[in-house]
Amino acid sequence: MINLILFGPPGSGKGTQAQKLIAKYKLVHISTGDLFRYEMGNDTPLGREAKAFIAKGELVPDSVTIGMLRNKVEAHPDAHGFIFDGFPRTIAQAEALDALLEEKGTSVTALVALQVDDEEIIERIKLRGETSGRADDSDETIIRNRIAVYKNETSPVYDFYATKGISQSIDGIGGIDEIFERLSAAVDRMASIAKV
Ligand code: AMP
């Protein structure tokens, strides 16, 4: 089983690259951002709870996010593995993910981080906001807050897996296919180290 964490700041291209990784490695893609948007679109209690946090560019509380993630993983008992996109975003989420995978007799194979500088990210997100219809993609103050939250709360997750020897950073600037080549090479290398 290959379990990948696709890591990086908002707008670093995780969603785009996840689509290509799914096709190549036949993994189940779980994007907590997409799950929240689905719940908000259907105006469910979970969606209503998440909405105020997302609108401000803050993280949805761990208790809500971890429960939702667990449900999604458990909905795919026959998966060959998962791509976690936008999760874990806190150390508590990382610990919960490790515990959940351990229960299933597996573990995180690799965390691969896409590196893109702040100014490029802001431009990319604003451009995406023109068509995504996402309020959190359209306001520069909210975008900057999302980047600050990433630095303060999420980037320690990179170090958490680095101490286990499974974090890897790659250059997230360039063409989509070029970045995918770098990403696949990193995944193949990490999977061979993990002997999966
Ligand atoms: P994303 O599409 O991954 O950029 O997520 C959009 C927004 O959803 C984030 O800015 C957060 O408000 C919320 N969100 C997504 N994933 C998580 C997570 N793992 N933990 C907390 N909040 C999250």
Side-chain angles (χ1 to χ4, degrees):
M1 211 167 171
I2 295 183
N3 298 301
L4 293 179
I5 298 173
L6 193 52
F7 201 71
S12 56
K14 298 189 295 293
T16 305
Q17 295 297 332
Q19 293 310 318
K20 296 177 75 71
L21 288 169
I22 300 165
K24 177 160 182 182
Y25 296 95
K26 312 280 180 251
L27 303 173
V28 173
H29 176 217
I30 302 184
S31 154
T32 42
D34 285 351
L35 292 175
F36 284 131
R37 283 185 285 280
Y38 176 82
E39 298 286 338
M40 289 191 294
N42 288 295
D43 201 24
T44 63
L46 197 156
R48 285 198 290 275
E49 194 171 354
K51 198 169 186 169
F53 297 98
I54 294 176
K56 288 185 281 189
E58 301 289 339
L59 295 183
V60 178
D62 285 338
S63 54
V64 177
T65 308
I66 290 167
M68 180 178 75
L69 188 279
R70 170 182 276 275
N71 287 340
K72 194 71 186 174
V73 168
E74 294 191 333
H76 293 278
D78 300 324
H80 293 127
F82 294 91
I83 299 175
F84 299 101
D85 163 2
F87 184 97
R89 263 172 152 106
T90 62
I91 297 290
Q93 291 181 15
E95 287 170 345
L97 177 63
D98 284 0
L100 173 62
L101 293 178
E102 196 179 336
E103 261 178 48
K104 317 264 167 227
T106 183
S107 61
V108 174
T109 311
L111 175 152
V112 191
L114 295 169
Q115 258 186 332
V116 182
D117 61 74
D118 291 1
E119 294 315 309
E120 166 90 12
I121 281 170
I122 292 167
E123 287 317 307
R124 283 191 194 179
I125 297 180
K126 280 194 200 156
L127 196 67
R128 183 171 72 185
E130 289 173 11
T131 51
S132 71
R134 285 176 55 175
D136 64 339
D137 277 353
S138 305
D139 178 317
E140 186 159 333
T141 311
I142 295 171
I143 298 171
R144 288 196 183 271
N145 192 38
R146 289 166 66 197
I147 295 172
V149 167
Y150 174 78
K151 288 186 179 155
N152 296 332
E153 299 182 54
T154 302
S155 63
V157 172
Y158 184 92
D159 304 323
F160 177 86
Y161 287 105
T163 63
K164 300 175 190 266
I166 56 173
S167 285
Q168 167 90 50
S169 194
I170 67 156
D171 182 1
I173 304 270
I176 291 174
D177 291 334
E178 190 184 354
I179 297 167
F180 184 63
E181 289 300 316
R182 289 177 206 144
L183 201 50
S184 301
V187 170
D188 291 343
R189 206 172 56 78
M190 303 296 277
S192 82
I193 292 170
K195 297 191 175 59
V196 289

